[in-house]
Amino acid sequence: MSEAGAPPKGTAIIVLGPSALDLARRLKAVLPGSNIHGYERRVPTSDVAFTRMSTHLVELFRAGVPILGLCAAGILIRGLARALADKHDEPPVVAMAEDGSAIVPLLGGHRGGHALAQTAASLTGGRVAITSASDLRLGLALDDPPPGWRIANPDMIMPIGAALLAGEPVRLIVEAGSRDWLAPASHAFQDQGDLAIRVTDRANADRTTSLIYHPPVLTLGVGCARDTEPAELERLVFDTLSSHDLAPGAIAAVLSIDLKADERAVHELARTLGVPARFFDAERLEAELPRLANPSDSVFRETGCHGIAEGAALAAAGPDGILVVPKTKSARATCAVARAASDVAALHVGRARGRLSVVGIGPGGSAWRSPEAIDALRSATDIVGYTLYLDLLGEAVAGQDRHGSALGQEIDRVRLAFDLASDGRDVALVSSGDSGVYGLATLVFELLEREGNAAWRRVAIEVIPGLSAMQAAAARAGAPLGHDFAVVSLSDLLTPWPVIERRLLAAAEADFVLCLYNPASERRREPLSRAVSILLAHRLPETPVIVARNLGRDGETVNATTLGALEPATIDMLSIVIVGNSQTRVAASGERRWVYTPRGYAAKHQDRSKRPIPAPGSVAHRTRSAS
């Protein structure tokens, strides 16, 4: 659900040609978390490149991504036609003229499409074409309440809406929360009538003649012993709500002390309720001591505050909130409920559990960046990485706080990422290629084990893979990694040369195809020459070699040579070298020469063709026939 009056986050701005690129950039600046998706053949720079329009639109649509197409409405309609099904699940889709003069919400108008169109219009001065009757005559959409609000009985939207539009008597009953968002339709409500719109935090309100809205006014504080089973906490909470006639749909957030930020039961409860989990430090909870119904000295000795469940519920409800359910216990868990005087903006109380995503961004351009990596970058509040890699990301991280640093400062980068995440931030730690292949993922876990404090250990960690440089180089050259291969870094900054040499020798003797990372730098030329000497002692000078540089970036080169002709002086840190084995071959196709390493299919085929055909009726014949 988008915020009332605000566009949905994470919008994909579709650009088909360079003439719309300037407008796309202006739109991106005002649309939170948006990215420019450009048609690869015509748009020189974009956050995400695509080659097939319809396929890309359907993928975005089915993933629930809001779409703003700077193109004709018909293009979007034809592209998405095969994906249209349930209107209740569709994301916003808006068509906008390239000059910004006309904006048409096509789909998902009540799911953020109208707000997206209005925001775009405010930038360009264009005209929004809204056609839904409820928006035009009531000034709002009954199926699009503010963030955090829940509709208890959606089946009543249509009859209540029809009654309002027909001028029939419909009452407005507000028992909790604010009526402000319904104000545009105030002229349509009457003092009498059998039908009603009821805004309440009660669970047992009449649903047969009323459209029931649950506003986010209840704050649920919880505490539990370490590793409490999620089922116990959930059972306690739902039993407590039921016994006090409180609607789960009116819960704004699940709240607790920051010591519980990594507690599985708390997060699973929040997921079940469909609300955020937010956390306060002990000092903030202790400030609620005068309002606690059940202060506990033993809790204070253990945590630094006299009440977790009650304190967290009251802290989130604000100074005008009241405790409606005091601390209630099960064997290993507690809960309490407070009611706020107005809607609770859950994302602005306490803080979230911090997240650290170690993101592999591939070798370079956006075309090789995975959707999972794009989502992680888009949702992050902070981007940490080597400055060159952040520059490569360009507009993909234009809206986030960037923390760039120089080559060689990897440890400082990881520490900074942990510290930011410990403060409740959503941090993306950028690593080129695949984050787990000579990337920063291993350093994250090493520092967590060696230096990790309690705050670091409460951070949620996710490792997001990326396309590795060796995969990219192999694909550009053909299929040199088609059979067993080994990977060795020639950098002796972290690994002693004797260890590297021993591994090179083992790979050479075992006849592995060999991928050489960090082959050379301005100050480090000798290791590559030594590596070539070791390999030449076990392989022919004619062995195919691939040298790839600047993969996926401007100035990309992929050259095929041989082990005997390899020139170490031409190779640097932006290069990767793939050395074939005794089976690696070169195949010609037109003007191209492809390098590949066969797996043995030809020999397998020849072996089968030489087998004698079993005599009819024999055991071998029956076995072969059955298979």
Side-chain angles (χ1 to χ4, degrees):
M1 189 74 67
S2 63
E3 294 185 20
K9 295 182 179 179
T11 299
I13 305 171
I14 306 297
V15 181
L16 302 184
S19 58
L21 194 52
D22 180 64
L23 175 57
R25 288 169 176 156
R26 292 166 57 205
L27 287 165
K28 178 177 177 176
V30 298
L31 297 175
S34 60
N35 278 290
I36 298 173
H37 293 235
Y39 182 48
E40 191 173 44
R41 296 180 183 177
R42 297 176 185 168
V43 181
T45 58
S46 63
D47 302 322
V48 180
F50 63 88
T51 56
R52 294 179 176 85
M53 175 71 167
S54 179
T55 300
H56 189 64
L57 285 175
V58 169
E59 287 176 351
L60 292 171
F61 188 81
R62 288 176 174 167
V65 177
I67 297 171
L68 174 57
L70 305 188
C71 59
I75 293 175
L76 297 179
I77 293 170
R78 286 190 295 272
L80 290 170
R82 61 191 170 97
L84 302 182
D86 184 357
K87 75 172 188 176
H88 298 294
D89 291 331
E90 63 193 19
V93 178
V94 176
M96 185 173 187
E98 282 192 358
D99 62 358
S101 60
I103 307 99
V104 184
L106 299 175
L107 299 168
H110 294 167
R111 296 174 62 84
H114 291 165
L116 176 57
Q118 296 287 3
T119 300
S122 67
L123 178 71
T124 65
R127 180 180 178 182
V128 178
I130 293 178
T131 57
S132 55
S134 61
D135 289 88
L136 294 173
R137 294 172 57 186
L138 298 179
L140 54 81
L142 295 179
D143 60 350
D144 188 24
W149 286 55
R150 308 290 182 88
I151 304 174
N153 52 342
D155 56 300
M156 287 298 292
I157 293 175
M158 186 172 292
I160 294 294
L164 287 170
L165 291 173
E168 297 175 4
V170 177
R171 293 178 296 152
L172 174 61
I173 303 169
V174 179
E175 298 173 346
S178 169
R179 67 175 67 207
D180 290 349
W181 85 277
L182 292 162
S186 58
H187 62 281
F189 294 112
Q190 301 183 28
D191 294 333
Q192 303 294 325
D194 294 331
L195 300 178
I197 287 179
R198 187 181 299 270
V199 182
T200 183
D201 61 3
R202 293 190 297 113
N204 296 314
D206 175 31
R207 301 187 179 197
T208 59
T209 58
S210 297
L211 173 58
I212 306 297
Y213 290 101
H214 293 312
V217 294
L218 300 181
T219 54
L220 174 64
V222 298
C224 60
R226 177 58 65 183
D227 296 327
T228 293
E229 281 297 318
E232 178 180 342
L233 180 59
E234 185 173 318
R235 186 166 51 250
L236 170 66
V237 166
F238 280 92
D239 287 349
T240 300
L241 293 175
S242 177
S243 65
H244 290 81
D245 190 25
L246 294 174
I251 300 293
V254 174
L255 298 312
S256 193
I257 192 170
D258 57 7
L259 299 176
K260 296 297 175 184
D262 59 341
E263 192 68 58
R264 184 167 65 97
V266 175
H267 289 283
E268 291 204 10
L269 173 63
R271 280 192 288 271
T272 298
L273 290 168
V275 298
R278 308 289 290 186
F279 303 91
F280 297 97
D281 60 28
E283 183 179 4
R284 176 64 187 88
L285 295 184
E286 184 62 8
E288 298 297 333
L289 175 60
R291 297 203 288 170
L292 299 184
N294 299 283
S296 168
D297 290 336
S298 61
V299 172
F300 178 77
R301 286 191 296 271
E302 189 173 338
T303 67
C305 66
H306 280 84
I308 294 175
E310 291 182 353
L314 288 166
D320 297 326
I322 59 172
L323 192 65
V324 293
V325 180
K327 181 172 68 175
T328 305
K329 297 181 180 181
S330 67
R332 293 171 56 83
T334 61
C335 73
V337 182
R339 178 184 290 118
S342 59
D343 295 1
V344 175
L347 298 182
H348 297 284
V349 297
R351 67 186 185 194
R353 180 189 186 186
R355 176 173 295 278
L356 173 56
S357 300
V358 193
V359 183
I361 63 170
S366 61
W368 281 346
R369 204 170 299 143
S370 74
E372 185 181 20
I374 293 169
D375 289 344
L377 294 170
R378 183 166 52 200
S379 64
T381 57
D382 297 78
I383 311 292
V384 179
Y386 174 36
T387 301
L388 172 64
Y389 299 157
L390 300 190
D391 291 341
L392 287 173
L393 290 171
E395 293 182 345
V397 294
Q400 288 91 338
D401 291 336
R402 289 177 36 154
H403 307 269
S405 55
L407 191 67
Q409 296 182 356
E410 292 81 9
I411 291 177
D412 291 338
R413 278 200 287 277
V414 174
R415 287 172 176 157
L416 173 62
F418 264 124
D419 288 341
L420 289 169
S422 297
D423 198 35
R425 311 282 287 178
D426 190 336
V427 182
L429 178 62
V430 170
S431 189
S432 70
D434 182 279
S435 55
V437 179
Y438 300 117
L440 292 177
T442 52
L443 183 56
V444 165
F445 297 115
E446 182 180 346
L447 289 182
L448 180 66
E449 181 184 26
R450 194 175 69 214
E451 302 179 6
N453 53 39
W456 283 15
R457 296 184 187 281
R458 288 195 291 267
V459 168
I461 300 174
E462 184 176 21
V463 179
I464 297 175
L467 185 71
S468 69
M470 62 183 173
Q471 290 174 292
R476 288 289 200 243
L481 306 184
H483 207 340
D484 299 336
F485 63 91
V487 186
V488 176
S489 169
L490 296 187
S491 174
D492 56 0
L493 297 177
L494 300 176
T495 306
W497 174 252
V499 174
I500 297 172
E501 190 173 40
R502 190 162 62 247
R503 291 171 180 171
L504 286 170
L505 182 60
E509 290 177 341
D511 200 28
F512 281 113
V513 174
L514 193 58
C515 302
L516 300 178
Y517 273 71
N518 306 312
S521 66
E522 291 184 3
R523 294 179 297 176
R524 201 171 39 78
R525 313 300 309 178
E526 189 177 357
L528 181 57
S529 296
R530 289 185 180 180
V532 170
S533 298
I534 292 171
L535 292 168
L536 279 171
H538 295 81
R539 296 183 191 179
L540 295 174
E542 295 79 20
T543 300
V545 173
I546 302 300
V547 179
R549 187 178 187 278
N550 261 344
L551 286 161
R553 311 171 194 170
D554 292 339
E556 173 186 289
T557 59
V558 180
N559 297 317
T561 182
T562 63
L563 188 57
L566 183 64
E567 297 182 9
T570 65
I571 295 169
D572 59 15
M573 282 290 287
L574 299 178
S575 306
I576 184 169
V577 178
I578 300 179
V579 181
N581 67 4
S582 62
Q583 301 300 311
T584 304
R585 301 285 184 266
V586 177
S589 172
E591 76 283 3
R592 288 296 305 269
R593 290 169 61 80
W594 300 98
V595 178
Y596 74 101
T597 304
R599 288 191 64 193
Y601 288 110
K604 183 177 181 182
H605 176 74
Q606 291 173 0
D607 181 61
R608 282 184 173 179
S609 66
K610 293 177 181 178
R611 294 177 187 173
I613 299 176
S618 68
V619 174
H621 181 270
R622 291 196 301 272
T623 304
R624 180 174 178 176
S625 299
S627 64

